[in-house]
Amino acid sequence: MTRASLDKQPHEVATMFDAVAANYDLTNDVLSLGQDRRWRKEVAKAVNGRPGEKVLDLAAGTGTSSLPFTRAGAYVVPCDFSLGMLREGKRRHPWLPLTAGDATKLPFRDASFDAVTISFGLRNVQDTDGALRELYRVTKPGGRVVICEFSHATWAPFRTVYEEYLMRALPPVARAVSSNPDAYVYLAESIQSWPEQAELARLLQKAGWSKVAWRNLSGGIVALHRGTRPA
């Protein structure tokens, strides 16, 4: 795994997630101090999936992030490129239509979905621009995108404390609860290397999305970006 870099090799990232699949959801809950549940609720509200709508949940992992959309009555397609994650998801949620797919080459037709979303997965894609274009391609005109991703705290003192947590506290905690703690060192470094909120908004606009906006969660350590495919 390439460390402290966004030059990621897809097969290495997939292998990393295969190795952490069994305890992935538990580890995230512990490392985020339970905040990940709140973040996913905010994603569900932003997507606002309705009965009869078709939602693509990219980087869905074990399918945990897809459950709120099914409860809202939407038809959700959880998609991930880690077969280990998908196998674990199928074991837990056999009714979900879990689908293997690469974010830069999605196995779906043009204009297939009313809404597309990706949570905590975009920064692990080798080609961010390509993924944003693919999400645009498979979204219906007038459809929407919601991206939830780790970002950068907006208050300088908090940002310093948070980055210290990422690099000093996270690894030992990960060793205690994760099956592959080294993966979480990479994930911490990838958060620090990720673009600021405004830069991700610019990349969305570059890919063709309109009405792009974002909202900071938890002081900016997570940002929720939204956009619309022009009708």
Side-chain angles (χ1 to χ4, degrees):
M1 177 60 62
T2 303
R3 297 285 292 275
S5 169
L6 295 183
D7 181 22
K8 297 169 285 291
Q9 297 302 313
H11 69 280
E12 292 182 338
V13 177
T15 299
M16 178 190 74
F17 279 103
D18 289 347
V20 301
N23 294 327
Y24 184 71
D25 294 325
L26 171 62
T27 303
N28 286 346
D29 205 24
V30 172
L31 293 178
S32 71
L33 306 178
Q35 286 292 296
D36 61 317
R37 300 182 189 184
R38 177 190 164 224
W39 298 333
R40 295 197 188 282
K41 287 180 181 178
E42 294 299 327
V43 171
K45 286 195 290 186
V47 171
N48 191 27
R50 297 180 287 273
E53 287 193 326
K54 194 173 181 181
V55 176
L56 171 63
D57 185 16
L58 189 56
T62 62
T64 298
S65 61
S66 301
L67 298 179
F69 307 123
T70 65
R71 296 188 191 109
Y75 178 79
V76 61
V77 178
C79 182
D80 202 285
F81 74 155
S82 165
L83 297 181
M85 284 286 196
L86 293 171
R87 280 192 290 267
E88 180 66 20
K90 202 64 178 176
R91 184 184 69 80
R92 299 183 190 181
H93 316 296
W95 65 90
L96 285 175
L98 292 144
T99 303
D102 184 333
T104 61
K105 298 176 183 177
L106 292 171
F108 307 110
R109 294 180 179 176
D110 295 356
S112 296
F113 297 94
D114 298 285
V116 295
T117 184
I118 178 170
S119 293
F120 308 111
L122 187 59
R123 75 184 190 287
N124 297 316
V125 178
Q126 186 180 42
D127 181 3
T128 304
D129 290 332
L132 294 176
R133 288 194 300 269
E134 272 293 89
L135 286 171
Y136 183 93
R137 180 185 67 79
V138 301
T139 303
K140 296 177 182 178
R144 55 209 185 272
V145 63
V146 174
I147 297 173
C148 185
E149 187 53 88
F150 287 111
S151 198
H152 299 277
T154 55
W155 188 44
F158 177 52
R159 184 168 183 163
T160 300
V161 171
Y162 174 62
E163 290 182 353
E164 285 290 312
Y165 166 74
L166 279 178
M167 300 315 301
R168 294 191 181 185
L170 187 147
V173 174
R175 279 193 292 273
V177 297
S178 173
S179 55
N180 185 9
D182 287 344
Y184 286 87
V185 176
Y186 155 76
L187 291 173
E189 292 175 345
S190 72
I191 292 170
Q192 292 186 317
S193 301
W194 186 244
E196 300 270 351
Q197 289 89 321
E199 174 62 14
L200 180 54
R202 188 190 69 78
L203 293 178
L204 277 160
Q205 292 169 332
K206 179 183 173 184
W209 297 97
S210 66
K211 301 178 183 177
V212 174
W214 76 85
R215 181 162 62 93
N216 290 316
L217 303 176
S218 300
I221 64 174
V222 166
L224 202 60
H225 283 72
R226 288 176 284 185
T228 302
R229 175 170 175 170

